[in-house]
Amino acid sequence: MGEPGNKVLTRGPTISRSVNLTFQGDWGQANFHRILCWLTQELCDRCGPRSRTSILSMRGGGSEGVQLVNDGEAHLALGTPVALMGGATTGEAIFGGEKFPSLRALAVLPQDDRMVLGIDPKFGCRTFADIREKKPPLKLVIGPDTPDAPTAWVSNRYLEAHGITPDLIRSWGGEIIDTFWRPDQCMIPAQDPNSDITAVIHEAIMTPWWTLLVDGPRKFIPIPAEPEALEKLRKTTLLPPSSLPAGYWDSLKEELPALEFNDFLLFCREDLPDDIAYLLTWCLVETKAMIESQYHHINPNKTPLGYPFDPFKMAQTSLPLHPAARRYYEEKGYLKPGRDEEVVATK
């Protein structure tokens, strides 16, 4: 009993023994879970007959994977954005001095994303300078200011870098809704034409939630980030400046300066057995068409998981590569032997 319905696949590396692994995903319906479902199937197809995996759903804002992998409660997790994750070994940015030197990377998976503030046009504000001058009584949806949630933590640093805080907004007669951190929880309520929410700050700009907010009945105005603020954020969050091109939304007529919030980092601990780490990396690169095909119906400029994967970029991680992952990339010519992987935050 318990034997798999198919034999171990002969293409690529295999592991004769059975493995039992625990992975940390997302809340259950987003990209982390979809990625891990693909990866675990490809892994188990090439391992012993009683191999099993489990994918944990996160309870909070997305940071718990770091602690779970570090403490040995999970073998593998995903984190985003990649540049921010680079602070795990140094204790910088969101990690507040706490270091996780045993974490190792397997790959970077692409997602083209930005952090953006959008506000109701009724206030007549098109820049952060307008907001600071007019002091509108915004009803702002923003995630709670906690390192438990990267998106929420960065959102609060984003406002601070522009000279705005939740307390300042309250002093203008505004209101802060900081109950949620998922993008759907934050943006869907604001799309209702009868909603009294007048501002949202979040990432996931490729989603229909943002499109409906900007191009739908509410016609929210995306506020361009200020150059000085973006330079501050490079230091405080490790995230580089970026922009959205004109036309990204129908109503966006000019390039929009914004904060980069790119890519997913797949990471483990340094003591993950080499054969497992190598096979996982092999599966990530050699079977990538299986997951890419699940996103081909989406505009490549607005897909929540970019395609096609570029193995050279997959090897450019913000945490040190696991030695077995490095060996795979070097054998295939995606990384020069002896060369340190590129730290994405300093590109």
Side-chain angles (χ1 to χ4, degrees):
M1 295 180 64
E3 295 297 315
N6 60 306
K7 299 291 184 181
V8 172
L9 298 187
T10 56
R11 175 174 170 264
T14 60
I15 297 175
S16 59
R17 72 183 185 283
S18 296
V19 301
N20 194 326
L21 300 175
T22 299
F23 296 166
Q24 173 66 52
D26 52 52
W27 305 279
Q29 298 185 48
N31 296 294
F32 288 7
H33 257 59
R34 183 182 289 260
I35 291 166
L36 292 176
C37 285
W38 152 61
L39 185 57
T40 57
Q41 178 173 316
E42 297 296 339
L43 173 75
C44 288
D45 277 348
R46 294 167 175 84
C47 293
R50 296 187 63 82
S51 293
R52 299 291 183 268
T53 60
S54 58
I55 301 175
L56 304 178
S57 295
M58 67 175 69
R59 57 153 190 87
S63 292
E64 54 262 53
V66 170
Q67 196 72 58
L68 290 174
V69 171
N70 183 77
D71 294 349
E73 296 181 49
H75 298 93
L76 191 79
L78 282 153
T80 189
V82 168
L84 181 72
M85 292 296 298
T89 54
T90 62
E92 294 176 274
I94 194 171
F95 298 98
E98 187 175 5
K99 300 178 182 180
F100 299 89
S102 66
L103 297 185
R104 295 293 180 266
L106 296 182
V108 170
L109 302 184
Q111 187 191 55
D112 191 23
D113 203 358
R114 308 289 184 274
M115 179 66 65
V116 174
L117 170 68
I119 73 170
D120 194 310
K122 72 179 182 180
F123 297 117
C125 296
R126 306 193 71 88
T127 66
F128 276 102
D130 289 343
I131 296 172
R132 292 190 296 265
E133 179 183 353
K134 296 183 179 183
K135 301 177 174 59
L138 302 174
K139 185 170 184 178
L140 172 68
V141 177
I142 184 172
D145 190 1
T146 169
D148 292 337
T151 295
W153 185 85
V154 172
S155 297
N156 281 271
R157 304 294 80 72
Y158 189 79
L159 282 186
E160 287 175 0
H162 288 93
I164 299 171
T165 65
D167 284 343
L168 186 60
I169 292 174
R170 292 186 184 100
S171 75
W172 299 340
E175 181 181 349
I176 301 298
I177 304 174
D178 60 359
T179 309
F180 307 110
W181 35 57
R182 291 207 321 256
D184 57 322
Q185 293 173 318
C186 293
M187 286 183 283
I188 289 177
Q191 295 167 4
D192 186 345
N194 298 316
S195 172
D196 60 352
I197 295 171
T198 56
V200 172
I201 181 169
H202 219 286
E203 40 88 37
I205 47 91
M206 77 294 294
T207 62
W209 306 317
W210 264 112
T211 299
L212 289 171
L213 200 57
V214 174
D215 289 335
R218 297 298 307 274
K219 298 188 181 303
F220 269 35
I221 305 296
I223 304 299
E226 296 175 341
E228 299 83 0
L230 290 174
E231 285 306 313
K232 290 179 183 176
L233 288 161
R234 187 196 293 271
K235 297 176 181 177
T236 58
T237 70
L238 308 180
L239 300 175
S242 190
S243 64
L244 288 176
Y248 188 85
W249 295 298
D250 292 343
S251 57
L252 186 63
K253 303 305 182 185
E254 298 179 350
E255 182 180 6
L256 183 77
L259 183 66
E260 184 178 289
F261 206 88
N262 279 1
D263 301 333
F264 304 142
L265 184 69
L266 195 71
F267 62 94
C268 60
R269 209 165 65 173
E270 61 185 353
D271 59 357
L272 184 69
D274 282 1
D275 56 353
I276 295 176
Y278 187 94
L279 178 55
L280 284 167
T281 309
W282 185 95
C283 291
L284 284 161
V285 177
E286 304 291 344
T287 74
K288 62 189 181 68
M290 300 302 293
I291 187 69
E292 291 170 344
S293 65
Q294 298 181 38
Y295 291 84
H296 283 170
H297 64 290
I298 304 175
N299 181 330
N301 296 318
K302 289 194 174 183
T303 175
L305 182 64
Y307 63 86
F309 293 3
D310 181 345
F312 290 95
K313 293 181 179 179
M314 293 171 73
Q316 296 173 4
T317 58
S318 56
L319 294 177
L321 281 167
H322 188 287
R326 173 184 290 279
R327 177 163 58 88
Y328 169 82
Y329 290 122
E330 290 179 350
E331 289 174 354
K332 298 295 182 179
Y334 300 130
L335 193 68
K336 292 182 180 179
R339 175 189 170 187
D340 288 338
E341 55 275 17
E342 181 174 357
V343 177
V344 176
T346 60
K347 284 180 64 176

